[in-house]
Amino acid sequence: MNLRFRLNLIVTVILLIVLLFGAVITVHNARESVRAEVDSTMELALHTLEAELNHFKRTGIVSAADEMSPFNLGRLAGVRHLRIEFYDSQGFLVETNQVEDAHNEADPPAWFVNQMQAGLENMTVKSLPVSVNNQTIGKLVISPEPGNEISEAWEETKTMLKLIALFFVSVNVVVFIAVGLSLKPIDNIIDALTDIEAGHLDRRLPIFKLPEMASISHKFNGMASALQVSTRNNHRLTQQIIRLQEAERKSIAHELHDEIGQHLTAIHVDASVIKSCRDLECAKHSAAAIDDVARQMMDIVRTMLHRLRPGGLDEIGFLAAVQDLVNSWQERHDKISVVTRIDGDFSTLDENEQLTLYRVLQECLTNISRHAHADQVEISLLEDQKNWLLSVSDNGQGFELGRHPQRFGLAGMHERVDSIGGKLEISSQYHQGVTVKVTLIKQGEQA
């Protein structure tokens, strides 16, 4: 069941309830109107007939013809809503004001007549004795006869019910059209989402007239723009990572060829000398040379492995590896003052988080040694109840972030921190140094 049908169904149900209530009120008002009309007519007829009977009593004059029919009720055939009948002293009907009419094809339905009759149930039949010359000659019986009034009430009610039905249909049509027009932008939104799903990130929505839909347009277009920028950045970062990987492989290949290759050649030469030596001293000299070269090769391999992955993280732990990194860097840059503050356990950091903080710190120290021209560096590594915090700042020459957003390894740091759900903040201005802050939020039981 789509939204349009649901909204129309809700409006229809509400209208039906309201219109049913209105129909009940209409029938109730018609019943009260019929009762009031019949009641007033009966009261008037009673007063009139009682006055006539009092006249008979006073005068006592009645002709022989009038003695059997002193009221000539046929003349009261026009009196509506009442049945007036004269019965003689023997109880036989003498005359009535009712005239037999042809059957009316437009008679009200039985349910409506029953509803109208329900309002007349407590109206009693009135009986007036008729006496002439102190002699009772019969009685007048007055009873409600609301047929004509019910027919008129039915015609009015039928007209009202037709208007109600017309109103019901009209409102439903208007609501159906209005809901359709209001929900028409949804088709555009679905088409736009389909295009985004298919990779067409340049798709945008028009600004709709309805404020709510206009807000959706703005949000959708903002989302599409952000997604487009993010996708472009991902493509650029992927290409950059590929270039860095190729550069790293090329560097490793050069080192293997230039360093390891040369040392292996030296070992080969010394080994050949040992094979051709005729005395022990010659062999010892060549063996010492091989030992020397092997140690140099071990240093080269250790340096290469440390560049590929810090061995200290696995061997001595995260905090010790960080301290070793800072100490090693300070030994190579003894003219720079380094203040280090480490406060926290950091035992719940997982491997990716440890490596990310280590690499960011390593990149920051590399940038300081290459570009900052600083003489003071402050490093803080802190842990609180919710976060792990790394801050590296210097008093160097700084740079304008807007002009160098991807320089100095910033893109790589952003990518590393984003990949584990962290937050990287960099603040810098010319001649005011650089501050790099990394915030990692603790997750699950760690928090």
Side-chain angles (χ1 to χ4, degrees), residues 95-309:
E95 62 176 338
T96 180
N97 69 331
Q98 296 297 309
V99 178
E100 293 295 331
D101 294 330
H103 178 69
N104 186 5
E105 294 182 358
D107 285 343
W111 67 266
F112 185 80
V113 174
N114 293 334
Q115 289 293 322
M116 298 301 104
Q117 293 286 3
L120 304 175
E121 289 178 351
N122 59 351
M123 294 188 69
T124 58
V125 176
K126 305 293 182 179
S127 179
L128 300 176
V130 180
S131 300
V132 178
N133 297 326
N134 295 322
Q135 180 182 359
T136 299
I137 64 173
K139 63 179 179 179
L140 283 172
V141 178
I142 306 169
S143 58
E145 183 63 30
N148 292 333
E149 185 64 23
I150 292 176
S151 297
E152 292 179 4
W154 168 245
E155 292 298 323
E156 294 176 359
T157 303
K158 186 167 63 174
T159 302
M160 182 62 67
L161 292 177
K162 288 180 180 178
L163 291 175
I164 290 175
L166 180 62
F167 173 76
F168 173 78
V169 173
S170 301
V171 170
N172 266 279
V173 171
V174 171
V175 169
F176 184 81
I177 295 173
V179 170
L181 293 175
S182 300
L183 297 181
K184 189 175 181 181
I186 291 180
D187 295 332
N188 293 335
I189 295 173
I190 293 175
D191 292 340
L193 289 172
T194 303
D195 289 343
I196 292 292
E197 183 182 13
H200 304 299
L201 302 181
D202 55 346
R203 176 64 187 272
R204 298 293 183 270
L205 283 175
I207 305 302
F208 301 112
K209 294 181 178 179
L210 287 175
E212 295 81 4
M213 292 299 180
S215 178
I216 292 176
S217 296
H218 289 299
K219 296 296 183 182
F220 178 90
N221 293 340
M223 177 203 69
S225 298
L227 185 60
Q228 191 173 27
V229 172
S230 177
T231 302
R232 288 174 180 171
N233 288 338
N234 286 340
H235 290 163
R236 178 181 50 74
L237 288 172
T238 301
Q239 294 172 358
Q240 185 175 357
I241 290 171
I242 293 173
R243 287 196 300 269
L244 291 174
Q245 287 177 341
E246 292 300 323
E248 188 70 21
R249 289 171 182 171
K250 186 177 180 180
S251 175
I252 293 173
H254 279 304
E255 290 189 24
L256 289 173
H257 178 269
D258 296 341
E259 301 290 340
I260 303 298
Q262 292 179 11
H263 287 79
L264 288 174
T265 301
I267 290 174
H268 175 70
V269 171
D270 287 325
S272 299
V273 171
I274 291 174
K275 287 171 62 177
S276 61
C277 279
R278 295 183 181 272
D279 56 58
L280 185 58
E281 287 299 325
C282 177
K284 284 183 177 181
H285 180 74
S286 295
I290 290 176
D291 181 65
D292 232 14
V293 172
R295 289 179 183 277
Q296 293 179 23
M297 288 178 62
M298 289 173 62
D299 290 338
I300 293 171
V301 170
R302 186 181 298 111
T303 302
M304 292 175 63
L305 291 175
H306 187 271
R307 192 170 70 243
L308 294 174
R309 168 157 178 95

Side-chain angles (χ1 to χ4, degrees), residues 49-99:
L49 292 175
E50 285 176 349
E52 185 70 15
L53 291 177
N54 288 333
H55 175 71
F56 287 157
K57 287 181 179 179
R58 288 196 306 269
T59 60
I61 301 173
V62 62
S63 63
D66 290 340
E67 188 173 351
M68 295 302 297
S69 180
F71 299 102
N72 196 9
L73 296 180
R75 294 179 299 174
L76 299 179
V79 176
R80 305 170 58 195
H81 318 321
L82 295 179
R83 177 185 293 273
I84 305 175
E85 298 173 323
F86 176 61
Y87 292 87
D88 60 15
S89 57
Q90 303 300 319
F92 294 104
L93 177 64
V94 177
E95 62 176 338
T96 180
N97 69 331
Q98 296 297 309
V99 178

Side-chain angles (χ1 to χ4, degrees), residues 419-438:
S419 67
I420 59 173
K423 181 180 180 183
L424 176 68
E425 298 177 274
I426 301 175
S427 58
S428 177
Q429 291 184 357
Y430 275 125
H431 308 297
Q432 295 186 18
V434 179
T435 299
V436 177
K437 293 182 179 180
V438 178

Side-chain angles (χ1 to χ4, degrees), residues 342-398:
I342 299 178
D343 185 7
D345 181 30
F346 297 93
S347 59
T348 54
L349 276 171
D350 63 30
E351 184 178 358
N352 287 334
E353 292 167 336
Q354 290 180 6
L355 187 58
T356 297
L357 292 177
Y358 186 92
R359 288 302 191 192
V360 170
L361 175 59
Q362 188 178 48
E363 184 68 29
C364 290
L365 293 175
T366 300
N367 289 336
I368 291 172
S369 62
R370 290 180 179 177
H371 310 291
H373 304 292
D375 57 16
Q376 292 182 3
V377 175
E378 293 184 3
I379 300 170
S380 64
L381 188 59
L382 309 175
E383 179 181 4
D384 59 27
Q385 293 183 349
K386 296 183 179 179
N387 306 295
W388 293 292
L389 307 169
L390 170 65
S391 175
V392 182
S393 60
D394 64 70
N395 65 343
Q397 64 180 2

